[in-house]
Amino acid sequence: MQLDLEIKYPTEPIKCWNKAKELRDQYYRNAATARENGGILWSGGAHGLDPVPAGFGKKVYPLTGEPYGASVAFDKPFASKCHAAAEAAGYPRDLCAYMRNYLGSKLLNQYAFGGSFPEPDFYWQFHMCCSHGKWYQEVSRIEGKDKPVLVTDLSIGPCWKKNEETGHFYYDPPENGIRYIVDQIHEQIEKLEKILKRPFQDELLFEAAENYFDILTIWPEICILNQAIPAPLDAKSMFTLYSLSTLDKASRAHADFYRELRDEVQDRVDRGIGMLATERSRVMDDIQPPWGFLKIFRYLERYGCICIGSFYSMGLMFSWDIGEDGIMRKRQTPREMGIEIKDRDQCLEILVRYLMTQFWSQNMQDHRLKAYVMKQMYDQWHCDGVMIHYNRGCEGLSLNVAEHRLALVSQGVPVMTYEGNMGDEREFDETETMKRIDTFMETLGLK
């Protein structure tokens, strides 16, 4: 069904779109050619502190697992081969879908971007979810070359506390917990100096940390600009644009890209440029989408409805602040607060403090924060409804998802749910999901 909707807003392509694609392609080429270029390759979680490995030299390249698993999922024929390989090796279907896609690709020795799977020099993981630490132990075991696996325990939360009088959350991490994580990283730096046989350079750490702080705080600025009507960005585009932060947060090129994108989005807002010419309603999503079926966000557009982002794309890797009035704001960088980084310990401590502001990690300890943030996003981004993905592929972010729905419904928020899997196309019913969207749009009065 295609409705005859009024054209209300001008639209135009995102000018730096191709640059985002080029940076992503270069990232995966760097991983594939790290050794022949005389560099070091490490692999680990997308949420880790990338500036730390960057302290070992200019040619240190990451290959982060979750975005790689999502890239596999986007290629459904290759994903199917990876599922089969992982299941034949005994990995169950209820494991993290990103992990299964990565393991399947490793078992096949096929890199999603061509050639054989790159062999990292070491694995460096931050453990929060149930499968994080085990993921790279298994990869190292599959390789059979006894590659070093270093895992940092992040289970110090909850770091966001609820003010029972105002109902708003505020950031208040346990001080002994912050020190516990910093001390682990100090020990790992000493181990890596022996493993890599090269000294750690604090100057490179400080430089990479500045890029990290910029990336974590500029994307929230971009998301706040998306509160404008018409929305200058939509969810499908944001999933591509935010992903550079999941690849390498120590990269100067990535930090510069987000500055360029922020300026372009500000320009779109100033000129009233939207992503959907017929925008008349807006919804938000919650967590990872079914990556092989992003068409669901285009399907909304036939109703004049735009998805303005999600808890995942706006909050996953980024550092937000919540004011005493409950308003979500960009967090200031240390440089903006006048803090001069003088030594390694101070730098690591600040990095850890920013790392633990990320909303997603608290879902394993206190699920109320996610429901609270989603309601704030619903209000601040002028949404008319919320789509919730009952995602069988992620045990951590799907935890308590039914309670999140109840919390939103109890506050009068229209909510649609659909079932699927972020990384396994066999567990997504496209026809049924489209029917649910049709019904939800009618519920919102979009006929």
Side-chain angles (χ1 to χ4, degrees):
M1 178 180 67
Q2 183 65 54
L3 301 177
D4 183 18
L5 301 176
E6 177 188 1
I7 303 297
K8 299 167 64 177
Y9 306 110
T11 63
E12 62 183 44
I14 298 170
K15 295 172 185 172
C16 60
W17 181 262
N18 288 337
K19 187 170 186 178
K21 294 276 191 177
E22 290 167 6
L23 288 169
R24 175 181 175 273
D25 292 346
Q26 184 62 54
Y27 168 87
Y28 283 111
R29 281 197 300 273
N30 286 342
T33 60
R35 285 197 172 178
E36 62 189 68
N37 290 331
I40 292 173
L41 178 66
W42 64 271
S43 189
H47 57 290
L49 289 178
D50 307 344
V52 177
F56 284 98
K58 288 288 187 182
K59 291 185 178 180
V60 177
Y61 305 104
L63 176 60
T64 50
E66 293 88 347
Y68 182 79
S71 295
V72 171
F74 189 75
D75 181 351
K76 289 193 277 292
F78 183 52
S80 180
K81 293 180 183 178
C82 293
H83 303 326
E87 288 163 21
Y91 297 104
R93 285 182 65 164
D94 59 354
L95 267 182
C96 165
Y98 287 159
M99 179 180 176
R100 284 193 291 126
N101 286 352
Y102 187 109
L103 293 177
S105 180
K106 188 75 177 177
L107 286 161
L108 293 169
N109 195 24
Q110 292 181 22
Y111 191 40
F113 300 90
S116 56
F117 200 104
E119 284 195 15
D121 295 278
F122 67 95
Y123 296 98
W124 199 60
Q125 174 66 308
F126 283 69
H127 184 83
M128 177 61 77
C129 184
C130 53
S131 56
H132 278 154
K134 200 66 183 173
W135 181 328
Y136 298 96
Q137 288 179 335
E138 282 300 289
V139 176
S140 181
R141 187 184 64 79
I142 290 169
E143 280 183 345
K145 297 181 179 178
D146 199 25
K147 297 283 179 61
V149 181
L150 294 91
V151 179
T152 303
D153 178 18
L154 297 183
S155 55
I156 66 166
C159 294
W160 288 87
K161 312 283 176 51
K162 185 177 182 180
N163 183 324
E164 298 297 339
E165 292 185 4
T166 65
H168 301 311
F169 279 78
Y170 60 99
Y171 184 57
D172 183 26
E175 292 302 312
N176 58 348
I178 295 292
R179 175 46 53 184
Y180 168 60
I181 297 174
V182 171
D183 287 347
Q184 290 180 74
I185 298 174
H186 275 299
E187 291 178 7
Q188 292 176 358
I189 289 173
E190 292 177 8
K191 289 180 181 177
L192 284 171
E193 284 183 319
K194 296 175 182 175
I195 291 168
L196 300 173
K197 296 181 173 55
R198 59 170 69 184
F200 187 78
Q201 300 178 58
D202 287 339
E203 295 75 16
L204 295 180
L205 169 70
F206 301 162
E207 180 182 328
E210 292 294 341
N211 298 329
Y212 179 90
F213 297 132
D214 285 345
I215 290 173
L216 259 64
T217 57
I218 293 175
W219 179 255
E221 287 186 69
I222 295 168
C223 292
I224 289 170
L225 290 170
N226 214 36
Q227 294 174 2
I229 299 175
L233 299 173
D234 65 359
K236 192 169 182 297
S237 301
M238 292 172 74
F239 281 132
T240 295
L241 297 169
Y242 99 102
S243 67
L244 292 177
S245 72
T246 68
L247 301 181
D248 187 356
K249 291 179 286 298
S251 165
R252 171 68 63 84
H254 291 185
D256 289 343
F257 171 80
Y258 282 115
R259 290 188 192 91
E260 181 179 345
L261 176 63
R262 176 192 58 195
D263 294 345
E264 182 181 346
V265 174
Q266 180 66 67
D267 179 63
R268 290 172 72 91
V269 171
D270 293 342
R271 294 187 294 121
I273 303 297
M275 285 297 286
L276 178 61
T278 58
E279 179 183 333
R280 60 173 177 156
S281 181
R282 43 176 57 193
V283 296
M284 59 173 286
D285 198 8
D286 64 336
I287 53 175
Q288 304 97 326
W291 290 109
F293 301 91
L294 294 179
K295 66 176 72 172
I296 62 174
F297 297 107
R298 290 283 175 261
Y299 191 75
L300 296 169
E301 296 175 358
R302 64 181 58 198
Y303 289 95
C305 182
I306 188 169
C307 183
I308 50 78
S310 65
F311 175 84
Y312 191 74
S313 63
M314 290 200 272
L316 184 65
M317 295 291 157
F318 308 104
S319 191
W320 289 85
D321 196 6
I322 298 176
E324 293 182 356
D325 55 1
I327 299 298
M328 291 173 57
R329 299 181 174 89
K330 162 198 176 319
R331 183 173 291 274
Q332 288 187 308
T333 66
R335 184 176 60 247
E336 289 169 338
M337 290 188 287
I339 297 173
E340 181 185 357
I341 295 177
K342 298 177 179 176
D343 59 52
R344 183 187 304 179
D345 186 69
Q346 179 201 19
C347 186
L348 294 179
E349 180 181 328
I350 297 174
L351 282 167
V352 170
R353 289 187 185 280
Y354 275 73
L355 171 69
M356 299 310 294
T357 62
Q358 296 171 11
F359 294 140
W360 72 271
S361 61
Q362 186 150 323
N363 202 48
M364 276 65 83
Q365 298 153 347
D366 181 356
H367 71 86
R368 298 177 303 167
L369 176 66
K370 182 183 169 191
Y372 170 85
V373 170
M374 289 181 67
K375 179 59 167 60
Q376 291 301 124
M377 288 179 172
Y378 172 85
D379 290 335
Q380 287 185 232
W381 275 260
H382 316 297
C383 293
D384 300 297
V386 174
M387 299 169 66
I388 287 183
H389 183 197
Y390 283 8
N391 177 11
R392 300 176 184 175
C394 179
E395 295 162 342
L397 284 178
S398 293
L399 200 64
N400 299 301
V401 68
E403 281 81 0
H404 301 147
R405 173 189 169 276
L406 286 174
L408 292 169
V409 170
S410 68
Q411 297 176 82
V413 177
V415 178
M416 165 201 157
T417 62
Y418 64 100
E419 291 188 44
N421 189 309
M422 63 191 183
D424 191 333
E425 73 285 351
R426 297 169 298 181
E427 297 187 347
F428 181 73
D429 187 335
E430 181 178 345
T431 302
E432 176 62 24
T433 301
M434 298 308 188
K435 287 180 181 177
R436 282 178 170 264
I437 290 175
D438 288 336
T439 302
F440 190 49
M441 293 297 102
E442 288 190 23
T443 302
L444 297 180
L446 303 176
K447 299 179 181 177

